[in-house]
Amino acid sequence: MKIDVKNFSASCHCGREHKIHVKEIIIEAGAIDKLPVLLSDIFTGKPEEICILCDDNTYLAAGKLVEEKVKGCKVIKLPSKGLHADNHNVKLAEEQLDGRIKLILAVGAGTIHDISRYLANKRGIPFVSLPTAASVDGFVSTVAAMTWNGLKKTFPAVSPILVVADTNIFSKAPYRLTASGISDLLGKYTALADWEIAHLVTDEYICSKVCELEHKAVDEVCSCLSDLRGNVPEEKRIKAYEQLMYALLLSGIAMQMVGNSRPASGAEHHISHLWEMEVINPPLDAYHGEKVSIGLMIVAETYHMMKEAIRNRQYEIQSYSGLDYMCLKESFGPKGLYEGMLEENKPDPLEQIDIMEFGKLLPKIADILDKLPSVDTINQLLTEAGCKKYVHEIGLDERIISKTICLSPYVRNRLTFMRLTKLIKLL
Ligand SMILES: [Zn+2]
Ligand SMILES: [Zn+2]
């Protein structure tokens, strides 16, 4: 299947002219066979000016095949053990990326893509995405999430100009990676609720077309969860994988349309980001999506509980007393991240909120939360797909949950309902 990207680049009733950077997306079995022709459409240079960026594992899964298709291209193979999108691996790749290279072919999952999009941006050259697993929704992202000298940072980067997703390749990825992609997508439930609530409370920009697109992406995948790992005929399984990759790319397109990650990242992602900062927990051996789905469960439980309290009038609106300075200093201080957190929270999104007006909006907020699937439904979906749901599954103790709820809203200056709950006191 081919995603007609032009459909998403248009002036919209939201008042914006949506712009998409990716030019072509192909998802099908054997898509790699078309690579030489697709490349000739976008690149007129010589094969030796093209470079495959992969790791040992993804070289075997797809890089070798790509090398055969694009004869004469260069290959950079990063060590797959302990591979992270960090300055160490960027340096490793950069040392081998000679000045003649004019195009990067990213062959891998999220990490290889982040390194590729960072380097492509730095060198001012385009890159092509060849995902080897349906593991994240960030393949067409325009920012690179990197760890720089131990700190998490988001760098400006470029979107691939072309995505060639070969189902024969990404459907054979270890299932844990696929489950992680499903988790990342299901996280959109709370991300979208957060966006709608922020729009209601602060009149933040929102686009209903983009929301629809994200909902469509999630629904499509929910309808084929059992086919992704069940005992179904191969044809049906392949179809489900294509649908998953389609949904992940659609989510990436939604972010391009808006120009940031708002449509795809809310309180559930903030939880994942907090744990990645390793200030209240040890380093975790967990994929992005795994942290997102556990975050999703925590957020969904909190949101539904708050909704019930709103409906039963078991709450009080409390005046805002500023950031939780003590807790922030205690947690982020030892790693030298306290000042950075204060900076991130300027201006404080809660300070601009009129408490009285907010109180009047609560019934409407409850209506938005009504659209969120119940905790049981989310639990069932995650179980069906074999996704992670509880903190103990990634080696964390239950006691981390309350601290996570308190601190995670501060990791990004983006208003979520989780952050707004600081204005609500349960009775
Ligand atoms: Zn729009
Ligand atoms: Zn994500």
Side-chain angles (χ1 to χ4, degrees), residues 368-406:
I368 294 172
L369 294 175
D370 263 338
K371 292 188 283 181
L372 196 63
S374 69
V375 175
D376 279 346
T377 305
I378 292 174
N379 192 332
Q380 263 170 27
L381 290 167
L382 292 173
T383 306
E384 195 179 349
C387 301
K388 301 262 188 280
K389 297 180 289 185
Y390 303 111
V391 287
H392 69 79
E393 291 175 85
I394 56 170
L396 291 174
D397 190 284
E398 292 276 314
R399 280 171 298 182
I400 204 167
I401 294 175
S402 58
K403 213 165 194 184
T404 297
I405 289 175
C406 169

Side-chain angles (χ1 to χ4, degrees), residues 215-400:
H215 276 301
K216 188 176 164 224
V218 179
D219 291 345
E220 293 226 354
V221 168
C222 287
S223 67
C224 67
L225 285 183
S226 53
D227 295 347
L228 287 166
R229 63 170 196 161
N231 251 334
V232 292
E234 185 60 7
E235 208 174 305
K236 212 172 173 198
R237 199 181 76 92
I238 287 281
K239 183 106 193 68
Y241 269 85
E242 261 167 31
Q243 232 160 341
L244 172 61
M245 184 57 88
Y246 174 71
L248 289 168
L249 290 167
L250 217 51
S251 175
I253 286 174
M255 288 188 261
Q256 287 200 2
M257 287 171 79
V258 171
N260 59 50
S261 64
R262 183 47 128 161
S265 165
E268 73 303 319
H269 271 73
H270 294 168
I271 289 181
S272 162
H273 298 326
L274 172 69
W275 291 341
E276 279 158 24
M277 294 174 91
E278 295 163 6
V279 289
I280 57 167
N281 54 276
L284 302 174
D285 173 28
Y287 293 142
H288 168 72
E290 294 175 333
K291 286 170 274 184
V292 169
S293 54
I294 296 169
L296 168 66
M297 285 290 286
I298 294 173
V299 176
E301 265 168 33
T302 309
Y303 284 14
H304 280 295
M305 180 190 74
M306 293 306 283
K307 185 190 74 182
E308 290 309 314
I310 294 170
R311 287 264 151 83
N312 299 324
R313 300 189 171 278
Q314 288 164 330
Y315 69 92
E316 253 171 25
I317 296 288
Q318 54 186 9
S319 59
Y320 184 55
S321 52
L323 308 176
D324 292 289
Y325 290 104
M326 284 282 282
C327 199
L328 282 168
K329 187 155 199 176
E330 222 176 74
S331 312
F332 293 91
K335 265 196 138 182
L337 301 175
Y338 177 61
E339 300 298 327
M341 288 300 286
L342 296 187
E343 207 46 54
E344 177 67 33
N345 286 282
K346 277 182 201 160
D348 181 344
L350 289 189
E351 231 149 45
Q352 48 164 319
I353 290 164
D354 181 323
I355 302 291
M356 296 297 285
E357 289 303 315
F358 174 64
K360 285 185 215 155
L361 290 173
L362 282 176
K364 277 192 182 166
I365 290 178
D367 290 343
I368 294 172
L369 294 175
D370 263 338
K371 292 188 283 181
L372 196 63
S374 69
V375 175
D376 279 346
T377 305
I378 292 174
N379 192 332
Q380 263 170 27
L381 290 167
L382 292 173
T383 306
E384 195 179 349
C387 301
K388 301 262 188 280
K389 297 180 289 185
Y390 303 111
V391 287
H392 69 79
E393 291 175 85
I394 56 170
L396 291 174
D397 190 284
E398 292 276 314
R399 280 171 298 182
I400 204 167

Side-chain angles (χ1 to χ4, degrees), residues 97-98 334:
L97 192 70
D98 69 53

Side-chain angles (χ1 to χ4, degrees), residues 10-16 18 205-210 257:
S11 60
C12 182
H13 57 73
C14 71
R16 282 198 190 175
H18 295 302
Y205 162 80
I206 198 167
C207 170
S208 58
K209 193 179 161 190
V210 170
M257 287 171 79

